[in-house]
Amino acid sequence: MVALAAAGPSAPAAARLQPARPSLVVVLVVDQLPTEYLTRYERFWRSGMRRLLTEGAVFTEAAYPYLNTVTCVGHATIATGALPYAHGIVHNEWWRRDEQQRRPCTHDATVASVPYRGGPAEKVGHSAARLRMPTLGDRLRQANPASRVVTLSMKPRSAAMLAGPSGTTVTWFSDADAWSTSTAFAPSRTPDPDVEALLTADDLERERGSVWTRRLDLSAYEGPDDVPWERPEPGWTAAFPHPLAGAPGTPREQFYTLWMGSPYSDAHLGRLAEGLVRRLALGQRGAVDFLGVSFSATDYVGHDFGPDSHEVQDTLARLDAVLGALLAALDAQLGRGGYVVALSSDHGVAPVPERRIALGAPAGRLLARDLRRVVDESLAAAAPGPHVAHVETTDVYLTDASRALVAARPALMEATLAALGRLPGVERALAGPPLAGARESVDPLVRAAALSYVPGESGDIIVAPVEHWILSGTSGTTHGTHHAYDQRVPVIFLGAPFRAGRYSDPASPADIHPTLAAVAGLPVPEVDGRVLRSALR
């Protein structure tokens, strides 16, 4: 494993540091929450985030050290304490050479969809089978099979990765527009009755007539509301208000997309989490249980509207209330000393390039078709193309024939890397295979790419964009690079074992697993993360 900082304490030493063992371990992930938001939008923190920031241990310099800062990778890192080269998750989706297809990180042909409330089944089953390292939930279940591992998210990749293969109640909102799980977590093909009951009592269809308006007075929001670089989903304009059913004439099924991409989905998820704490008696049964909740609305809204938008600001203000209600529910069920919380994010977000360009700052978009074109042109003299099988953001996958070609003639790869490096927006192009031995490189970019590289899964060529250039389409924004706006995310702990305060120690979301393992009484795992002992009492 690659050391992120000084080694943590041994298991006995870590055990001595904790004042009491919690009965419930809670991990909260806010999808697409850069550290910058904590101070930039501080005026919105009146409830849950305010409590976390004032009563919690806040690691102000926390960051992911790797290149592929995307959702599935981040959740796997938080859950396992390992980095991508070790846990095996390289993207949200990637090219499977054995199948010659692009597959989601949770795709599993051996499991089937299990929908809730008689909803439609998904076309594919989801699991955490591709994880190569155990999650904290897996380790709790290994130590005590009576432990429950409950995870919730709008995204299957977030819920499944937070849980790991041992998840007992793993729930997501499927691409079939229904709440779902799979036979990986419900082998009997029977939906969890407690989840079923809560979803029936809190039917999201009741929100079809709702209209998303600003939670606070207009003066609380910075910047303009309606700008040309915002690209909302069909049925909405760039300006408030946003009816969840869409504008007149919007197809009825578009409601689900609009609902998911609004703060209403976060609120629904928070209520579901509160209900499961009560109904499953989490942390109240003599075993250490695990609850993982990943809130996705910030990511959906951020991609479409950008980090400066009124929509992102309002989503954060509303999430603050959701977090406050969840923490209050935990207090009521377990008391403040009965649980611990870690909050982090899977990645940050880049500014919208067009906004920076409008302000006279450098920025741009790097398109997959341009990467494909340059590679094909570079190798065309050596053999007929096409030479590229697939481009997945930073990763260029060559065809089998072209892989053999560049392996036999290394000069061709060098020429191709040089040609890519001349493309506007490319900081550097790297050959994939050598990265397997470069995790200790003193070159920050090489090291970041190496920590994301998994032999057999990652691309043959890795392309790192210039700062403020994004690997995306023609609108909105994204993430997934080695730049600070993508890597820097919060790491916050709350609970009796932790001392409130600000900590400037080097930290990473990979430290969450070993730190929580220590306070839960588990042996500290040998992973990339470490116990953040400076915050422990």
Side-chain angles (χ1 to χ4, degrees), residues 237-437:
T237 67
F240 275 107
H242 300 303
L244 298 194
T250 301
R252 184 173 176 81
E253 61 273 16
Q254 182 68 1
F255 160 72
Y256 299 105
T257 299
L258 297 177
W259 176 81
M260 288 172 65
S262 79
Y264 285 79
S265 61
D266 278 350
H268 194 94
L269 201 69
R271 294 191 298 269
L272 181 58
E274 292 174 38
L276 288 175
V277 170
R278 292 191 298 269
R279 291 183 70 100
L280 298 178
L282 295 181
Q284 303 159 68
R285 304 174 305 101
V288 181
D289 293 325
F290 178 89
L291 173 65
V293 187
S294 179
F295 297 97
S296 306
T298 41
D299 187 69
Y300 293 133
V301 176
H303 277 292
D304 290 346
F305 292 95
D308 307 293
S309 64
H310 283 205
E311 286 78 7
V312 160
Q313 294 174 58
D314 197 69
T315 300
L316 293 169
R318 291 173 179 274
L319 177 64
D320 173 64
V322 171
L323 294 174
L326 179 56
L327 293 175
L330 292 169
D331 291 343
Q333 292 298 121
L334 294 99
R336 289 201 173 201
Y339 66 95
V340 293
V341 173
L343 180 140
S344 190
S345 182
D346 47 359
H347 52 74
V349 64
V352 177
E354 287 74 19
R355 181 179 187 273
R356 285 183 55 83
I357 292 170
L359 295 172
R365 295 180 183 273
L366 188 58
L367 302 181
R369 67 185 182 216
D370 294 324
L371 301 180
R372 184 185 293 269
R373 172 182 55 79
V374 169
V375 173
D376 280 342
E377 289 175 354
S378 179
L379 297 176
H387 296 281
V388 178
H390 180 70
V391 177
E392 189 66 40
T393 61
T394 56
D395 288 41
V396 179
Y397 293 82
L398 300 178
T399 64
D400 290 344
S402 299
R403 294 179 75 205
L405 177 66
V406 298
R409 298 170 61 182
L412 290 175
M413 174 61 87
E414 292 302 318
T416 301
L417 298 178
L420 285 167
R422 292 190 291 271
L423 193 64
V426 174
E427 179 176 336
R428 208 180 319 172
L430 305 168
L435 292 173

